Amino acid sequence: GKFKGYGFALLASLDLCRQALRADPPKVNGQAIAVYGCSKNTQEIAAKAVNERKGSKQDNCLFMGKCPDSITNDDLYQHYGALGEGAIVNVIWIGKGDSFKGYGFVYFKDADTKFQALMMPPPQVAGRTLDVKETGKKRTEFELFMGGLHGTDASA
C-alpha cells in the first residue's frame, strides 16, 4: 500500500526505548522524524525528552481521526466553542492541502481544557463522527511512534 508517513518501531527492551527517546530524532532526506513513546512508561520519558528539546504541548493535544477532506479549523472551533475563547491554540492536519491523511491533532490551551474536550461528544463534520483520542495511549512499552514524513517515498 501507499506509505502513510508514519509507523511504529518495536524495540527489544525498555532501556533501548529510553535511549532512543533521549537521542536526537532521526532524519530522512533531511526531514526530522517525530518520535514518541507509545505506552505510559515510555510516554513520560518521551514527554521529558521532547520538553527538553522544544517545549512540548503533548499533554494538551487530542488526536482527531476519520476526518472528511472538507474539514476546516472552523469546524473544530465551532464544536469546542463551549470551552471558551482561545480554548484551541493550534490545529495540525496531516497532509492537508497536499494528500490529506484524514487525521490531525488539536492543541488546547491547557490539560484541563483538553480533558473537558475529551468528555464532550465527538465533532460531526459532513455527516461523519470524528474519532477523538488522547495521543499516544494504546501501544506497548517497547514501541515508538515515528512519523511526520510528508511526501516521502517509503523506499527512500
Side-chain angles (χ1 to χ4, degrees), residues 62 64 76-84 87-88 108 117 120-123 132:
L62 288 178
M64 299 283 161
L76 298 178
Y77 293 136
Q78 182 178 4
H79 179 78
Y80 293 112
L83 298 175
I88 295 175
F108 293 88
M120 293 174 68
V132 179

Side-chain angles (χ1 to χ4, degrees), residues 60 62 83 86-88 108-118:
N60 302 349
L62 288 178
L83 298 175
I88 295 175
F108 293 88
K109 65 181 177 182
D110 54 38
D112 289 338
T113 305
K114 176 194 90 168
F115 284 114
Q116 289 175 24
L118 191 58

Side-chain angles (χ1 to χ4, degrees), residues 50-77:
V50 171
N51 279 329
E52 289 171 358
R53 284 198 299 263
K54 62 181 178 180
S56 172
K57 294 184 178 182
Q58 187 174 5
D59 288 341
N60 302 349
C61 182
L62 288 178
F63 169 85
M64 299 283 161
K66 298 182 181 175
C67 300
D69 290 343
S70 64
I71 194 167
T72 66
N73 291 7
D74 287 339
D75 293 322
L76 298 178
Y77 293 136

Side-chain angles (χ1 to χ4, degrees), residues 76-152:
L76 298 178
Y77 293 136
Q78 182 178 4
H79 179 78
Y80 293 112
L83 298 175
E85 184 75 25
I88 295 175
V89 295
N90 196 13
V91 179
I92 298 174
W93 299 113
I94 306 303
K96 190 82 168 159
D98 189 23
S99 58
F100 185 46
K101 308 295 183 200
Y103 69 94
F105 300 90
V106 179
Y107 292 85
F108 293 88
K109 65 181 177 182
D110 54 38
D112 289 338
T113 305
K114 176 194 90 168
F115 284 114
Q116 289 175 24
L118 191 58
M119 296 300 113
M120 293 174 68
Q124 291 190 351
V125 178
R128 187 181 298 181
T129 301
L130 305 190
D131 184 18
V132 179
K133 298 179 184 175
E134 287 187 83
T135 54
K137 298 289 184 191
K138 290 193 173 185
R139 295 281 181 166
T140 72
E141 64 186 14
F142 300 133
E143 289 183 88
L144 300 176
F145 169 82
M146 304 171 96
L149 297 175
H150 307 293
T152 302

Side-chain angles (χ1 to χ4, degrees), residues 2-89:
K2 185 177 174 185
F3 180 58
K4 303 285 186 186
Y6 65 91
F8 296 88
L10 179 61
L11 302 180
S13 71
L14 184 56
D15 187 53
L16 287 175
C17 285
R18 288 181 180 130
Q19 289 177 35
L21 291 168
R22 288 188 181 115
D24 287 334
K27 293 183 178 184
V28 173
N29 297 333
Q31 183 179 359
I33 299 172
V35 178
Y36 303 99
C38 294
S39 76
K40 186 174 182 178
N41 291 339
T42 54
Q43 285 171 23
E44 292 173 11
I45 298 163
K48 183 178 178 184
V50 171
N51 279 329
E52 289 171 358
R53 284 198 299 263
K54 62 181 178 180
S56 172
K57 294 184 178 182
Q58 187 174 5
D59 288 341
N60 302 349
C61 182
L62 288 178
F63 169 85
M64 299 283 161
K66 298 182 181 175
C67 300
D69 290 343
S70 64
I71 194 167
T72 66
N73 291 7
D74 287 339
D75 293 322
L76 298 178
Y77 293 136
Q78 182 178 4
H79 179 78
Y80 293 112
L83 298 175
E85 184 75 25
I88 295 175
V89 295

